[in-house]
Amino acid sequence: MSKEPAERLTPMGVMVLALLREGDMHPYEMVRLMRARRDERLLAVTNGTLYHTVGRLQRGGLIDEVGTDREGNRPERTTYTLTDAGRDALIGWLRRELSIIDRPAEFRIALAEAHNLERPDVVDCLRIRRVALAEGHALHRDGLTGARRKGAPEQVLVEFERQEVLLDAELRWLDSLLDRLEAEAFPWGPTAFENTDRYLAQRKAAQQ
């Protein structure tokens, strides 16, 4: 059986692996949890895409079946578990996408699932990202200043100006996040919330 390398994971694949990091579950529960957590702000959540992704992950050896059950008139449900290869692929994908700046859609998903990494690991990845952001911000800032000095019309610089402002804002946000992570201002890690009342209620509702 061929294994799915981390770099070939789709965003939906990452979300499925992250869900199974929380515990074994069937696809119906996965969909309900994604919708309860408003994951549709990050990617399109459809039954068809999720079931296709589950099949691909299983064929790649990243997840495996652990049983089936039928309750009342409901269709039979297959429960899946995360394999060691799946865990490694998830962690590898998160580390890579947290560190680079040229894949903004993937970064949002990596950030949403960053709690699957330990705190020092996240800090290391985000510090690498900060270096690249700072370099990009300096290039845009200096380029904008130089263009204005040469008399470039403002109307052709509006996109340049927007990107410089966005990079500056992201740097300030990232510095704040790094400060909070390093000060351990809030719990962190793959098991930090699993016994809270809200989390347990959410899991129970998704299983119905």
Side-chain angles (χ1 to χ4, degrees), residues 40-195:
E40 287 167 316
R41 74 191 189 283
L42 301 173
L43 76 173
V45 178
T46 66
N47 289 359
T49 301
L50 186 135
Y51 278 91
H52 174 78
T53 299
V54 165
R56 182 179 179 187
L57 293 173
Q58 184 183 15
R59 290 190 298 273
L62 304 187
I63 66 175
D64 201 4
E65 294 183 16
V66 289
T68 58
D69 66 82
R70 184 190 298 274
E71 206 172 303
N73 294 324
R74 295 175 180 168
E76 188 176 78
R77 293 175 178 174
T78 301
T79 300
Y80 294 89
T81 193
L82 184 67
T83 65
D84 289 342
R87 175 188 173 279
D88 291 345
L90 172 64
I91 290 174
W93 192 94
L94 293 175
R95 284 173 174 162
R96 188 184 72 250
E97 298 299 335
L98 285 173
S99 301
I100 60 178
I101 64 171
D102 58 347
R103 288 158 59 91
E106 287 80 1
F107 175 69
R108 291 186 67 200
I109 292 172
L111 192 62
E113 298 298 346
H115 57 270
N116 284 283
L117 302 177
E118 297 297 337
R119 189 187 305 264
D121 210 359
V122 174
V123 169
D124 288 346
C125 292
L126 292 179
R127 288 217 168 277
I128 294 170
R129 180 182 186 84
R130 194 200 183 284
V131 171
L133 278 174
E135 290 174 352
H137 177 249
L139 284 172
H140 278 77
R141 180 196 61 213
D142 296 346
L144 194 59
T145 299
R148 284 172 171 156
R149 187 180 297 123
K150 293 176 181 178
E154 283 294 319
Q155 67 186 24
V156 303
L157 298 178
V158 290
E159 188 281 330
F160 215 134
E161 181 183 50
R162 173 184 179 273
Q163 188 62 18
E164 189 273 330
V165 169
L166 291 176
L167 287 167
D168 178 63
E170 185 167 0
L171 273 170
R172 287 185 279 110
W173 165 80
L174 186 54
D175 284 340
S176 172
L177 176 60
L178 284 166
D179 286 345
R180 287 181 289 156
L181 285 168
E182 292 180 319
E184 300 189 8
F186 50 85
W188 187 268
T191 61
F193 53 74
E194 65 181 11
N195 291 320

